[in-house]
Amino acid sequence: MRNGHDTLNHYRSIQHVRIGSYLINTWYQAPYPEEYSRTDVLYICEFCLKYMKSNFVSKRHKENCCMKHPPGNEIYRDGQLSVFEVDGRKNKIYCQNLCLLAKLFLDHKTLFYDVEPFLFYILTETDNQGCHFVAYFSKEKRSKLGYNLSCIMTLPPHQRKGYGQFLIDISYLLSKNEHKVGSPEKPLSDLGLLSYTKYWKQTLMDFILENKSHLGMTTIEDISQHTSMTLDDVISTLDKQGILTKNKQGQFELMVTVDTNSGSIAMQHDDISGGSVTPMPYPKRLRAKQELLTWVPY
DNA sequence: AATTGATGATTGTCTCGCCG
DNA sequence: CGGCGAGACAATCATCAATT
């Protein structure tokens, strides 16, 4: 031990991160350089995502760091919420730091340093201090398999606010602007599958309710085009709800009855929470609004 | 286009001093 | 005495331009 500040060296991995005003328990290990892993608390600048070992260095950095929002272009703004698009090639360090931070909360993430082939979409909450990082997702610039999202993460203090669903919505809005359909990178994590299952179900329920007057004329292809979801994802989601059948010609048909009073849809396998069997009115959700997106395909 | 080198900013660490 | 915050400074790092 060389001095009084080295007393934290017995830690084998990072237990907490301090970012902005939050002290957050970490969930998984991340491959930070070894000297940064041997600490209880890792300090992260909430604007440039630089990581530091000590509170002193963090404070000094805060005085000098001139960033008040993520690098790249702001592509979406709705009140306090903004989305920035960051190019992994143009802002390599930022994106590498982002991947390391994300790994603290993602189990099986493997991408950390080879960030050039990716774009990163950063969700921020704005106040008079600046645009505070709350969540992100990454996307391959050129996905051969039609993936429109690779990794997605919301910082724990901001979870359960609908930000994950919102970012998934943004990812499909981007696909829509590219005139493509898309799907998340496989394999999905447990939490990822849960989020997507919920998103797909709600998106299709919304579509059905909005188009209930002419569902007979609607094909699976129409739904796919409208939602930018792949045919496979549309079919598997509708099938899980038990509202998909094939007619004599082998074409898919929707079997739906819309309850115009409650605004809900009768489904065989709807989620039953709290033992209630009455269909729950689906919760309001944070939707990405196409008119607020200022983005052109890469 | 890729590599190298210079330059200026930033960090890690040492030291001192305060306080419980 | 031990822990913590702050100033100083050498070493390191990122950036950008020049060169191959």
Side-chain angles (χ1 to χ4, degrees):
Chain A
M1 191 182 296
R2 290 185 299 281
N3 61 51
H5 298 280
D6 258 2
T7 53
L8 299 173
N9 265 357
H10 60 279
Y11 284 100
R12 286 201 216 122
S13 64
I14 297 157
Q15 304 297 312
H16 309 88
V17 281
R18 182 171 271 295
I19 177 165
S21 56
Y22 298 100
L23 182 63
I24 308 170
N25 286 326
T26 57
W27 297 1
Y28 302 102
Q29 304 215 16
Y32 283 98
E34 202 188 323
E35 60 267 33
Y36 291 88
S37 295
R38 280 199 230 121
T39 176
D40 178 26
V41 183
L42 189 69
Y43 298 82
I44 295 180
C45 172
E46 62 176 333
F47 296 119
C48 74
L49 302 186
K50 183 182 279 294
Y51 49 88
M52 292 153 282
K53 285 185 261 206
S54 72
N55 193 28
F56 170 66
V57 173
S58 168
K59 270 186 177 172
R60 186 175 56 187
H61 170 83
K62 195 176 175 185
E63 287 165 14
N64 295 331
C65 184
C66 53
M67 286 179 72
K68 293 294 166 228
H69 57 78
N73 300 320
E74 185 180 13
I75 61 161
Y76 185 95
R77 186 189 294 184
D78 187 358
Q80 309 292 91
L81 288 184
S82 290
V83 179
F84 291 80
E85 181 185 61
V86 186
D87 187 322
R89 187 177 56 79
K90 292 180 189 162
N91 295 97
K92 191 169 176 179
I93 302 294
Y94 179 90
C95 295
Q96 288 176 338
N97 289 344
L98 172 61
C99 288
L100 287 166
L101 171 63
K103 178 65 189 75
L104 292 170
F105 306 102
L106 294 171
D107 191 4
H108 67 287
K109 179 175 173 56
T110 54
L111 170 87
F112 306 108
Y113 294 105
D114 181 28
V115 294
E116 283 98 332
F118 291 86
L119 294 168
F120 296 81
Y121 295 90
I122 319 298
L123 179 64
T124 63
E125 284 179 355
T126 306
D127 64 14
N128 53 12
Q129 310 273 308
C131 302
H132 305 267
F133 176 90
V134 294
Y136 92 106
F137 73 90
S138 59
K139 176 184 181 173
E140 275 180 280
K141 292 172 184 171
R142 300 172 175 280
S143 171
K144 286 172 184 164
L145 297 168
Y147 296 146
N148 64 357
L149 182 147
S150 298
C151 274
I152 180 166
M153 187 276 292
T154 304
L155 282 180
H158 299 285
Q159 289 173 2
R160 310 201 63 82
K161 292 162 86 172
Y163 289 161
Q165 298 283 304
F166 174 81
L167 284 179
I168 292 172
D169 213 17
I170 291 277
S171 75
Y172 280 107
L173 217 47
L174 300 184
S175 291
K176 196 170 192 178
N177 279 20
E178 294 174 285
H179 306 291
K180 286 180 184 170
V181 297
S183 191
E185 187 175 311
K186 313 298 182 298
L188 284 168
S189 65
D190 294 351
L191 275 174
L193 181 63
L194 220 58
S195 291
Y196 266 96
T197 302
K198 180 179 168 192
Y199 176 85
W200 288 332
K201 181 180 148 187
Q202 289 210 357
T203 299
L204 297 186
M205 293 307 112
D206 286 349
F207 178 89
I208 289 168
L209 284 172
E210 284 161 17
N211 297 277
K212 58 193 172 194
S213 61
H214 49 277
L215 280 180
M217 311 285 290
T218 306
T219 65
I220 301 296
E221 285 77 9
D222 293 335
I223 300 177
S224 168
Q225 288 302 309
H226 187 270
T227 59
S228 295
M229 287 170 54
T230 61
L231 275 177
D232 281 352
D233 292 338
V234 173
I235 291 168
S236 69
T237 302
L238 292 175
D239 197 36
K240 267 186 211 140
Q241 300 307 316
I243 56 178
L244 201 62
T245 58
K246 279 191 179 182
N247 64 17
K248 287 169 190 167
Q249 287 81 42
Q251 294 165 321
F252 287 109
E253 282 187 347
L254 288 175
M255 302 270 293
V256 181
T257 50
V258 178
D259 182 339
T260 46
N261 291 323
S262 70
S264 63
I265 297 163
M267 291 172 290
Q268 285 179 20
H269 303 290
D270 201 358
D271 292 340
I272 294 166
S273 51
S276 167
V277 288
T278 45
M280 302 289 286
Y282 62 96
K284 291 193 184 97
R285 65 166 161 158
L286 188 58
R287 292 299 304 263
K289 300 164 190 162
Q290 177 146 35
E291 67 274 16
L292 297 179
L293 182 71
T294 55
W295 181 80
V296 285
Y298 183 75

